Amino acid sequence: MKTVLISQGTCCKSAGADRVLAAMERELSEVGLEAIVKTPGCHGFSEIDPVVVIEPDGILYAKVKAEDVPKIVQSLMDENRLAKGLYYRDPVTNEGIPYAQDIPFFNKQQRTILKNCGVLDPRDINDYMEAGGYRAVRKALLEMTPAQVVAEVKRSGLRGLGGAGFPTGKKWEMCAAAHGEIKYVICNADEGDPGSFQDRSILEGDPHAVLEGLILAGYAVGAQESYLYVRAEYPLAIKNLQIAIDQAKEKGFIGDDILGSGFKFDIKIFQGAGAFVCGEETALIQSLEGKRGMPYPRPPYPVIAGLHGKPTLIDNVKTLASVRWIINKGADWLASRGTETSKGTAVFSITGKVANCGLVEVPMGITMREIVFEIGGGVPGGKKFKAVQTGGPSGGCLPGALLDTAIDFDTLRAAGSMMGSGGMVVMDEDTCMVDTARYFLDFSLKESCGQCVPCRLGTMQMHEILTRITQGEGKMSDLDLLMELSEGVAKGSLCGLGKTAPNPVETTLRYFRDEYEAHINERRCPSRSCKALISYNINAEKCKGCSICLKACPVDAITGAKKEIHIIDGSKCTKCGICLDVCPDAFGAVECF
Amino acid sequence: MCKQNTELKVKDILNCYQGKEREIIPILQQIQEELGYLSEEAMLATARFVRVPESKIYATATFYAQFRFKPVGRNHVAVCRGTACHVRGAERILDILERQLGIKEGETSQDLEYTLEAVACIGCCALAPAITINNQEVHGQLTPKKVAELFPAAAKGGN
């Protein structure tokens, strides 16, 4: 019997996957065809949502609409037929690719953390167990001592995938050695980096893998209680996690005497109330205690004195989801992948001006070029690549010259950026790098908790200067001032937010100084994106008087009549650029200076 | 909703908790979910329940972006300001929404029909630029035309 997979992640649903699912169920029952319909989480290739996959053949239909469903069902009834025209088309070669395994986006990846996402039903523990789930818990609890679990994780070389890259095994060892009857384990799922959604997809699509990691961590360090700190903005993730917890309790993987081993463990969900700084572990702890999420100085580190003053182990979603592989396959298996200092794989969400948006899992050490151009399919619309931004507001913007850098924790840091939680935003010639720096500073200043003066006021000053530059009112001396402030903010802040907030400014100044200079010296935005420095005009020779732009202008700034040349009133124009978008390509009458 | 009714609801919520300080955030979240916002009375009741000064509840609540202190419109429109949305034109979408709904970012329309907010990344980066309505429906790959279609009642000049 065929299995029909229709992913139901947040992004899939908003692209219409729920309508496709309803149509599929209706159609199957109408024609009386028996097939298993499964609703896994996100498959990662968000660009082509909604997706329908037919197993065991591995046929993938992309961007499916409800009205395409009868065609797919017809093809199911006829063994060897493909629903033509519905499968994925390569944006470069325009060649149709019916099998998922042949699509470049998938076949360049090495999926372990994401293995189950888009494949298993996240709301069915049996599905997970049939795929080898909870085997690691069984093995650890019944065949290994906690010290052996710690040793195995340590030997694998796994580093924290939340961004900082601290050796996971070492952290576990410290927490296991810490004195105290009561210990806690926390899964940091407060994914707040703008431009990242890998944690969300894992929580939605493979919640049991995270729970399994938490149970293993609890056993290794000797904790009985744990919290999943999830953003309240991720309602589907919270729902799927709660279902997973209930099912795991029922099966006896969470409870008083797990698998008869005598190990007792409980997992609770805590919804983060929306503060980026709570991704910082000390702030997260404050928040769990019901306080304002303000970081506090370390030491003592949370592994010694954390939540309610007790030893607390905090790991990211991806780190925890990796652990079961180490227990199942052994430390050497993970250690054999990746680079000398960064082991295993990394999950990136690749977004922005790139043809194939989505979630990718690649071995550490892959180059940025491979990710952006081979997996990501390059920049769409014939535009030129400009930069790739990694690590969210704490990261930096790296130029084309660094595309061949092998990506791991250390090389990214050396280039002035960082791995962060794995967000990767591609920028093209239309993205202004000064405005990008301003955008990130705007984020950091709003999210600064306010207790360190350099962070609270420094980011504000930097933002003011950057805003001035984007408005064409900057001075060359501003650039030195920006560098000086960057240094001050980085040195004078307590937590990671402040320490890394200047990174976007420093890297754009280092790699794209010419753009700053163009804004300051020539009052010109080379990317034509800073509103104060551009203007729109209708070329009288090209305008055909079709009145499309006139109707589309939201502020009625365009005058003229049908068959007459249109004129933009500069005093009314808000520079939204809609006229440029709607002007038919054949005319190309609207110009932007 | 009459005042007495509100008081009862808050009381019901508080009854589910033990009155510990660590419960402050979940309590406030549940109250907001029930009432739509945190009223002064509700925060006062919470303060008494967990035995901390009112100022502490207020300090905690104002720290987190999730909490609101005014009633929210029936349609809560949240514009994502994540990086992916930013580079794909989120600012323009916000501009258009402000005009279309006749309110500025952070405001609620007088008839309580719409609230417009810019929010941190909603994690639908592949669909950028994206908005959510009432934290449930996500609308992605927005263009000015799609925005106009989403809010036909509040169409151009309607306010």
Side-chain angles (χ1 to χ4, degrees):
Chain A
M1 202 188 326
K2 303 274 186 200
T3 303
V4 181
L5 299 168
I6 307 177
S7 286
Q8 300 288 318
T10 297
C11 30
C12 318
K13 271 189 175 174
S14 44
D18 40 2
R19 288 193 295 276
V20 173
L21 175 64
M24 181 62 75
E25 281 170 343
R26 203 171 47 233
E27 188 68 21
L28 283 173
S29 80
E30 256 172 40
V31 300
L33 181 69
E34 263 191 76
I36 303 163
V37 178
K38 251 165 86 169
T39 53
C42 188
H43 52 85
F45 197 175
S46 314
E47 189 72 36
I48 58 166
D49 280 332
V51 158
V52 174
V53 176
I54 312 296
E55 294 291 3
D57 319 282
I59 303 164
L60 184 146
Y61 296 113
K63 292 195 177 175
V64 179
K65 293 186 206 71
E67 50 270 32
D68 299 331
V69 168
K71 214 170 157 187
I72 296 175
V73 173
Q74 275 302 316
S75 79
L76 283 177
M77 295 173 73
D78 182 355
E79 251 325 288
N80 301 314
R81 236 178 60 190
L82 290 166
K84 277 219 175 82
L86 291 180
Y87 34 81
Y88 174 72
R89 215 158 264 286
D90 189 288
V92 185
T93 59
N94 204 27
E95 181 196 347
I97 307 176
Y99 296 98
Q101 62 188 39
D102 301 326
I103 297 175
F105 181 87
F106 290 115
N107 68 17
K108 293 262 176 213
Q109 296 190 47
Q110 233 179 58
R111 291 188 152 211
T112 48
I113 301 172
L114 295 180
K115 196 174 188 355
N116 295 338
C117 289
V119 180
L120 301 186
D121 184 344
R123 288 165 296 271
D124 183 1
I125 193 171
N126 295 319
D127 216 18
Y128 180 72
M129 287 173 70
E130 275 164 30
Y134 289 107
R135 210 184 285 157
V137 165
R138 199 175 290 274
K139 183 175 171 187
L141 267 55
L142 303 179
E143 296 167 26
M144 296 167 84
T145 63
Q148 282 172 323
V149 176
V150 172
E152 201 67 11
V153 173
K154 199 176 170 193
R155 210 160 57 80
S156 73
L158 179 68
R159 290 170 71 172
L161 295 169
F166 190 83
T168 306
K170 199 172 163 197
K171 192 155 60 169
W172 285 30
E173 193 176 49
M174 285 158 77
C175 191
H179 294 290
E181 285 270 299
I182 299 172
K183 289 181 188 175
Y184 296 101
V185 179
I186 297 170
C187 171
N188 184 348
D190 189 41
E191 180 180 57
D193 276 18
S196 313
F197 57 100
Q198 53 280 80
D199 290 358
R200 194 208 73 210
S201 291
I202 296 166
L203 297 168
E204 283 177 8
D206 199 11
H208 286 290
V210 183
L211 300 189
E212 197 169 357
L214 267 174
I215 299 165
L216 290 167
Y219 178 68
V221 304
Q224 296 83 34
E225 267 184 73
S226 70
Y227 290 94
L228 270 155
Y229 190 100
V230 195
R231 293 176 79 196
E233 288 95 329
Y234 287 174
L236 183 61
I238 292 167
K239 194 170 142 197
N240 286 359
L241 279 169
Q242 192 56 58
I243 295 172
I245 291 173
D246 295 343
Q247 289 177 342
K249 273 185 188 160
E250 219 168 87
K251 294 268 182 198
F253 296 116
I254 302 172
D256 280 343
D257 179 19
I258 300 172
L259 305 173
S261 66
F263 174 57
K264 178 184 167 191
F265 197 65
D266 192 23
I267 301 177
K268 290 192 189 90
I269 295 175
F270 186 93
Q271 296 189 29
F276 176 69
V277 71
C278 288
E280 177 80 22
E281 55 183 17
T282 54
L284 186 149
I285 288 171
Q286 297 277 71
S287 170
L288 268 172
E289 290 176 353
K291 301 176 190 146
R292 290 164 70 93
M294 315 252 263
Y296 55 81
R298 299 172 297 185
Y301 286 91
V303 284
I304 308 296
L307 184 63
H308 309 307
K310 311 286 184 216
T312 304
L313 179 75
I314 306 177
D315 275 319
N316 168 267
V317 174
K318 296 180 287 287
T319 318
L320 287 169
S322 306
V323 175
R324 66 192 179 102
W325 289 97
I326 299 170
I327 301 302
N328 281 332
K329 297 206 166 195
D332 296 326
W333 180 82
L334 190 96
S336 67
R337 302 167 149 221
T339 65
E340 196 49 46
T341 56
S342 304
K343 298 298 180 195
T345 51
V347 184
F348 290 103
S349 47
I350 170 160
T351 59
K353 304 285 187 65
V354 63
N356 302 333
C357 271
L359 222 52
V360 302
E361 183 172 356
V362 288
M364 298 271 192
I366 193 172
T367 66
M368 205 92 88
R369 186 182 300 281
E370 286 172 272
I371 299 184
V372 175
F373 288 92
E374 290 179 26
I375 299 173
V379 180
K383 300 271 182 180
K384 250 173 71 190
F385 169 88
K386 184 184 276 183
V388 57
Q389 206 277 347
T390 68
S394 329
C397 300
L398 304 178
L402 291 177
L403 270 176
D404 291 309
T405 314
I407 302 176
D408 65 22
F409 287 105
D410 310 294
T411 53
L412 278 177
R413 195 160 293 164
S417 187
M418 63 186 286
M419 187 84 95
S421 70
M424 199 176 260
V425 186
V426 179
M427 298 170 179
D428 69 2
E429 55 185 292
D430 293 339
T431 315
C432 171
M433 300 317 284
V434 185
D435 177 65
T436 302
R438 186 199 59 81
Y439 163 79
F440 281 116
L441 261 291
D442 179 55
F443 182 86
S444 300
L445 96 89
K446 281 181 182 146
E447 295 294 343
S448 169
C449 81
Q451 64 178 337
C452 303
V453 180
C455 175
R456 184 179 72 226
L457 297 178
T459 52
M460 191 178 278
Q461 292 297 334
M462 289 166 82
H463 181 257
E464 257 175 40
I465 296 171
L466 290 163
T467 306
R468 221 169 52 220
I469 297 176
T470 57
Q471 288 171 346
E473 288 157 18
K475 301 187 287 281
M476 280 308 281
S477 59
D478 282 341
L479 302 187
D480 296 330
L481 193 55
L482 276 175
M483 284 311 286
E484 205 184 312
L485 279 165
S486 292
E487 213 187 313
V489 172
K491 276 190 183 155
S493 302
L494 176 65
C495 81
L497 193 154
K499 281 190 192 306
T500 58
N503 276 349
V505 181
E506 281 178 356
T507 50
T508 48
L509 265 173
R510 192 190 318 175
Y511 302 118
F512 302 95
R513 201 180 169 92
D514 54 327
E515 291 200 20
Y516 280 86
E517 288 173 359
H519 281 78
I520 295 170
N521 295 331
E522 303 165 42
R523 307 264 180 271
R524 180 176 69 87
C525 174
S527 317
R528 291 184 215 152
S529 118
C530 293
K531 276 187 182 180
L533 302 177
I534 55 168
S535 63
Y536 288 90
N537 180 40
I538 296 173
N539 186 326
E541 281 173 24
K542 291 182 178 170
C543 180
K544 301 275 187 257
C546 69
S547 75
I548 292 177
C549 64
L550 191 145
K551 282 186 195 137
C553 178
V555 291
D556 299 323
I558 302 178
T559 52
K562 203 136 184 104
K563 302 278 177 208
E564 269 176 33
I565 292 163
H566 303 333
I567 296 165
I568 298 176
D569 179 350
S571 63
K572 279 190 190 166
C573 176
T574 58
K575 297 170 187 174
C576 67
I578 291 176
C579 49
L580 182 68
D581 288 354
V582 298
C583 183
D585 286 341
F587 306 163
V590 180
E591 294 164 343
C592 172
F593 296 100
Chain B
M1 200 184 308
C2 73
K3 206 176 158 193
Q4 213 179 355
N5 208 344
T6 313
E7 263 172 41
L8 273 176
K9 272 192 177 159
V10 172
K11 219 171 163 187
D12 279 349
I13 291 169
L14 294 177
N15 276 337
C16 306
Y17 293 87
Q18 296 166 302
K20 291 196 173 141
E21 216 177 308
R22 70 179 76 158
E23 294 169 332
I24 291 174
I25 293 171
I27 291 174
L28 295 179
Q29 280 170 333
Q30 214 182 326
I31 291 176
Q32 178 158 299
E33 194 170 324
E34 197 62 45
L35 306 184
Y37 73 110
L38 300 179
S39 65
E40 235 171 87
E41 294 80 17
M43 284 190 282
L44 179 63
T46 310
R48 289 200 177 128
F49 180 66
V50 295
R51 291 185 211 89
V52 297
E54 243 180 286
S55 59
K56 191 170 173 194
I57 300 292
Y58 189 69
T60 305
T62 49
F63 185 83
Y64 297 97
Q66 190 188 11
F67 296 117
R68 287 185 296 265
F69 306 95
K70 281 186 196 146
V72 65
R74 277 176 283 276
N75 298 289
H76 180 214
V77 183
V79 182
C80 177
R81 54 161 191 179
T83 320
C85 288
H86 180 75
V87 303
R88 287 199 190 175
E91 214 166 310
R92 187 161 99 173
I93 298 300
L94 182 62
D95 264 7
I96 293 164
L97 276 166
E98 283 184 344
R99 270 200 297 272
Q100 193 108 16
L101 304 178
I103 43 175
K104 291 272 164 213
E105 189 229 314
E107 290 179 354
T108 299
S109 62
Q110 289 221 314
D111 57 0
L112 284 185
E113 198 55 40
Y114 294 102
T115 295
L116 182 62
E117 260 179 7
V119 295
C121 189
I122 52 173
C124 293
C125 309
L127 295 169
I131 63 168
T132 65
I133 301 176
N134 295 334
N135 204 16
Q136 294 292 330
E137 308 161 44
V138 181
H139 299 273
Q141 288 169 345
L142 290 174
T143 56
K145 204 172 148 206
K146 274 198 194 166
V147 174
E149 283 165 7
L150 272 176
F151 302 101
K156 194 171 160 182
N159 282 285

